[in-house]
Amino acid sequence: MLIRIRRGWEIPESRVTPEAIATNRRAVLGLAAAGLAAAPPALGQTRDAGAPAEGSPLPPAMRNPRYRVERAITPEHEATTFNNYYEFGSHKSIYRAAQRLPMRPWTVKVEGMVEQPREFGIDDLIAAMPIEERVYRLRCVEAWSMVVPWTGFRLSALLDRVRPLSSARYVRFETAAVPEVMPGLRQSWYPWPYIEGCTIEEAANELAFLVVGAYGRPLPPQNGGPLRVHFPWKYGFKSGKSLVRITLTDRRPKSFWETVQGNEYGFWANVNPEVPHPRWSQATERVLGTGERIPTRIFNGYGEFVAHLYVNLQNERLWA
Ligand SMILES: Nc1nc2c(c(=O)[nH]1)N[C@H]1C(S)=C(S)[C@@H](COP(=O)(O)O)O[C@H]1N2
Ligand SMILES: [Mo]
């Protein structure tokens, strides 16, 4: 029986962009060359300028049609050359510097209030987890946004492996700190390493995603390779990059930006167009690639999945 596997980069939406057509053509050519229905996405493709030279090809990942975005996918080149990653510098053009981050070997510890703490090698983890592709919006607190096809697996799938104790209330995410390749770490006034966190309920939500790829390729270092988290309903800074440690805890983690400027960047940081940042409006966002300005949506458009998480938390500063 011939089973047609939907390639990761196929766009089900009617708004197909020129980038999508170009990418899809590459895919068709790659398929013909390999003569396989489920060839690894990276096969036979030329790497984009920002893409990494390291990392094993990802197993084929099917796009999950449940998460629809009624906007065009951001061109890969834009998403991989315009980044926030302060360890490499406090500007958007860190993608070249980030290529120096050694992405293999790479391990991530999952520990704290769990029955079975474990350390996973990244390739073992990718092989063991239910890999899928999800097209998600990302809205930075600085009011730009993009739409990216990420490859990864649910955060809860990983947490299930270590069996969190019932006393665990929060999840803390820690980014690698490698002084030899990260010039930003010399800026000693910043509270390195980069820390982020969420509640257990948020971690269990179906949208909370651990990312190991983008555009069908291994996640490049500038986007947080080889492993980053993404909460698409929250401002982008909640999505910690290049994770080395995930800790279950009963104490609310104090994040990097909260420590730097707590009155501007809080723990919850859910997207809300009606709650301005102290220094600018959050009503609209600039679309990466086109420069178009579009209205920002509450929970970044994901309210149907996450609004229930916050109904009993109205005394919290949920929006910034
Ligand atoms: N370790 C680390 N993670 C980080 C950041 C950072 O500076 N360091 N920046 C955050 C911010 S502000 C955003 S908007 C997103 C950007 O992700 P992208 O470069 O893939 O677009 O990463 C987040 N994760
Ligand atoms: Mo951001």
Side-chain angles (χ1 to χ4, degrees):
M1 186 172 63
L2 194 78
I3 300 171
R4 186 169 177 281
I5 297 178
R6 190 187 272 281
R7 306 306 305 258
W9 45 76
E10 282 180 3
I11 314 270
E13 292 82 7
S14 49
R15 287 182 61 189
V16 177
T17 64
E19 160 72 12
I21 293 166
T23 316
N24 197 34
R25 280 199 52 195
R26 284 207 305 268
V28 170
L29 295 174
L31 264 182
L36 290 169
L43 210 78
Q45 292 184 13
T46 325
R47 285 187 182 280
D48 204 87
E54 268 182 283
S56 336
L58 293 175
M62 288 209 271
R63 178 170 295 174
N64 190 330
R66 186 167 159 80
Y67 310 106
R68 300 201 154 273
V69 176
E70 307 310 324
R71 270 165 53 195
I73 286 180
T74 302
E76 180 177 9
H77 181 76
E78 301 288 335
T80 55
T81 58
F82 180 94
N83 302 96
N84 271 334
Y85 200 158
Y86 273 61
E87 288 84 337
F88 291 101
S90 50
H91 54 85
K92 306 294 179 216
S93 308
I94 54 79
Y95 68 96
R96 278 201 194 87
Q99 305 310 309
R100 296 185 58 210
L101 182 67
M103 299 219 292
R104 296 292 188 283
W106 190 278
T107 61
V108 57
K109 294 195 172 89
V110 190
E111 58 188 26
M113 294 180 146
V114 300
E115 271 178 44
Q116 196 179 40
R118 284 182 66 174
E119 180 166 5
F120 297 91
I122 186 69
D123 292 312
D124 297 338
L125 190 64
I126 292 171
M129 289 288 125
I131 299 281
E132 57 179 288
E133 185 181 72
R134 295 185 177 190
V135 179
Y136 272 172
R137 304 180 190 87
L138 184 150
R139 169 59 158 83
C140 176
V141 74
E142 299 162 334
W144 54 266
S145 70
M146 60 179 186
V147 177
V148 174
W150 303 112
T151 306
F153 47 89
R154 277 183 64 162
L155 173 57
S156 65
L158 176 59
L159 298 186
D160 286 348
R161 293 292 175 113
V162 296
R163 296 196 297 275
L165 302 176
S166 57
S167 49
R169 304 269 323 280
Y170 300 95
V171 186
R172 177 184 181 274
F173 302 89
E174 183 180 324
T175 293
V178 189
E180 304 80 59
V181 301
M182 292 173 158
L185 300 192
R186 278 181 245 137
Q187 303 187 303
S188 54
W189 56 91
Y190 281 124
W192 310 110
Y194 195 95
I195 300 297
E196 260 307 337
C198 70
T199 64
I200 280 283
E201 292 77 17
E202 290 174 326
N205 186 271
E206 64 176 279
L207 292 182
F209 205 48
L210 282 170
V211 179
V212 296
Y215 300 90
R217 311 171 204 261
L219 189 64
Q222 64 270 34
N223 293 98
L227 177 74
R228 65 98 63 88
V229 67
H230 189 209
F231 303 99
W233 70 98
K234 292 176 176 287
Y235 290 115
F237 67 87
K238 296 297 297 180
S239 299
K241 292 180 167 182
S242 308
L243 302 176
V244 290
R245 190 190 310 271
I246 299 174
T247 311
L248 287 281
T249 163
D250 59 357
R251 292 175 47 193
R252 184 186 288 190
K254 189 158 183 186
S255 74
F256 179 87
W257 287 113
E258 206 180 346
T259 307
V260 173
Q261 193 82 299
N263 60 325
E264 300 192 351
Y265 310 104
F267 172 75
W268 299 97
N270 296 305
V271 174
N272 188 340
E274 286 172 15
V275 179
H277 183 276
R279 290 182 280 136
W280 58 83
S281 162
Q282 296 291 25
T284 63
E285 63 204 54
R286 185 175 59 83
V287 176
L288 217 63
T290 68
E292 187 190 358
R293 273 226 163 252
I294 59 168
T296 287
R297 294 164 67 189
I298 184 114
F299 292 115
N300 202 23
Y302 294 100
E304 60 174 305
F305 298 103
V306 298
H308 69 272
L309 292 170
Y310 305 101
V311 287
N312 294 322
L313 293 169
Q314 293 309 309
N315 295 328
E316 295 281 335
R317 203 178 106 205
L318 292 174
W319 311 111

